[in-house]
């Protein structure tokens, strides 16, 4: 009999709350799951282009599954996107990175100097900083490793590229790099 009374009480209890529209289980707020987004950034490669430019410029994409894709662009396009005057996935807010980081366009044009001792395509009075035979020396490669360059064909992108360009603005860094033979 006691068991029947308890059962009736429990049934009545739940029936009452159901009739009153009460919910016994607290609601949980929807939790938004943050999905990884692809990351676009500016990049360069120290390999020459088929158009006889000593450096390749581009937009680097790091996919959500951590794969790299690169869309190479011409120098002018790179500069316009880098300074925010042209739309770019690598610069959606159209920030002038030249101004923001104190980078001179000439520094970007001189990226070839990192690899070559002589300008590789035609005559140029300017000398490069690279070791012999169109390659940085072993000591210079150790310096470049700080920017993500383990092999000459590696692409420099994102903060590594910004750091390299700002370091190239420093005459002391340039001298250390030149002397690293």
């Amino acid at each position: 009999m006691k068991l029947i009374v308890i059962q009736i009480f429990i049934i009545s209890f739940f029936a009452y709350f159901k009739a009153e529209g009460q919910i016994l289980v607290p609601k949980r707020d929807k939790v938004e799951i943050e999905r990884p987004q692809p990351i676009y950034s500016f990049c360069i490669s120290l390999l020459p282009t088929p158009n006889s430019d000593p450096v390749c410029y581009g937009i680097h994409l790091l996919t959500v599954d951590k794969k790299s894709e690169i869309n190479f662009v011409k120098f002018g396009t790179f500069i316009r996107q880098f300074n925010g005057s042209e739309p770019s996935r690598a610069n959606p807010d159209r920030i002038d990175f030249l101004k923001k980081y104190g980078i001179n366009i000439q520094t970007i044009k001189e990226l070839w100097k990192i690899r070559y001792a002589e300008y590789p395509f035609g005559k140029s009075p300017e000398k490069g900083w690279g070791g012999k035979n169109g390659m940085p020396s072993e000591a210079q490669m150790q310096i470049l490793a700080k920017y993500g360059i383990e092999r000459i064909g590696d692409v420099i992108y994102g903060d590594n590229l910004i750091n390299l360009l700002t370091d190239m603005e420093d005459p002391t860094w340039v001298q250390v790099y030149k002397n690293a033979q």
Side-chain angles (χ1 to χ4, degrees):
M1 171 109 162
K2 218 176 193 186
L3 183 59
I4 293 174
V5 171
I6 293 174
Q7 288 175 341
I8 292 172
F9 174 76
I10 291 173
I11 292 170
S12 299
F13 178 80
F14 284 110
Y16 170 79
F17 281 108
K18 185 175 180 187
E20 295 294 317
Q22 301 269 342
I23 297 174
L24 296 175
V25 179
K27 288 184 180 180
R28 292 196 174 135
D29 291 333
K30 282 187 178 179
V31 176
E32 291 291 325
I33 298 172
E34 190 170 314
R35 300 190 193 292
Q37 297 294 315
I39 300 169
Y40 292 90
S41 56
F42 293 102
C43 69
I44 61 110
S45 168
L46 296 175
L47 296 177
T49 70
N51 299 329
S52 298
D53 292 322
V55 174
C56 291
Y57 304 92
I59 306 301
H60 179 267
L61 164 62
L62 186 62
T63 65
V64 294
D65 53 349
K66 304 297 181 204
K67 292 181 183 172
S68 287
E69 296 177 15
I70 300 165
N71 179 30
F72 288 109
V73 297
K74 293 185 177 191
F75 176 78
T77 301
F78 180 86
I79 292 298
R80 287 189 302 275
Q81 291 183 15
F82 197 75
N83 74 11
S85 62
E86 184 175 292
S88 172
R89 286 186 166 178
N91 189 1
D93 297 328
R94 296 182 118 176
I95 297 166
D96 184 347
F97 289 115
L98 297 173
K99 263 188 190 171
K100 181 176 180 176
Y101 295 106
I103 299 168
N104 190 314
I105 289 178
Q106 190 62 33
T107 300
I108 298 172
K109 288 181 181 179
E110 292 178 348
L111 280 163
W112 67 268
K113 292 181 176 185
I114 291 173
R115 177 174 178 175
Y116 301 100
E118 305 271 333
Y119 187 77
F121 303 114
K123 300 236 182 217
S124 174
E126 290 189 71
K127 297 290 183 189
W129 314 324
K132 298 177 182 173
N133 302 323
M135 293 293 291
S137 68
E138 281 297 317
Q140 289 172 328
M141 286 300 293
Q142 289 176 357
I143 293 171
L144 295 176
K146 171 184 172 187
Y147 308 100
I149 304 173
E150 299 294 326
R151 295 175 305 283
I152 198 65
D154 289 343
V155 174
I156 309 161
Y157 63 93
D159 290 341
N160 284 335
L161 177 59
I162 298 295
N163 293 337
L164 174 64
L165 292 170
T166 55
D167 285 350
M168 286 176 63
E169 294 284 339
D170 180 2
T172 303
W173 184 92
V174 172
Q175 198 59 46
V176 167
Y177 188 81
K178 282 180 177 180
N179 292 335
Q181 301 294 326

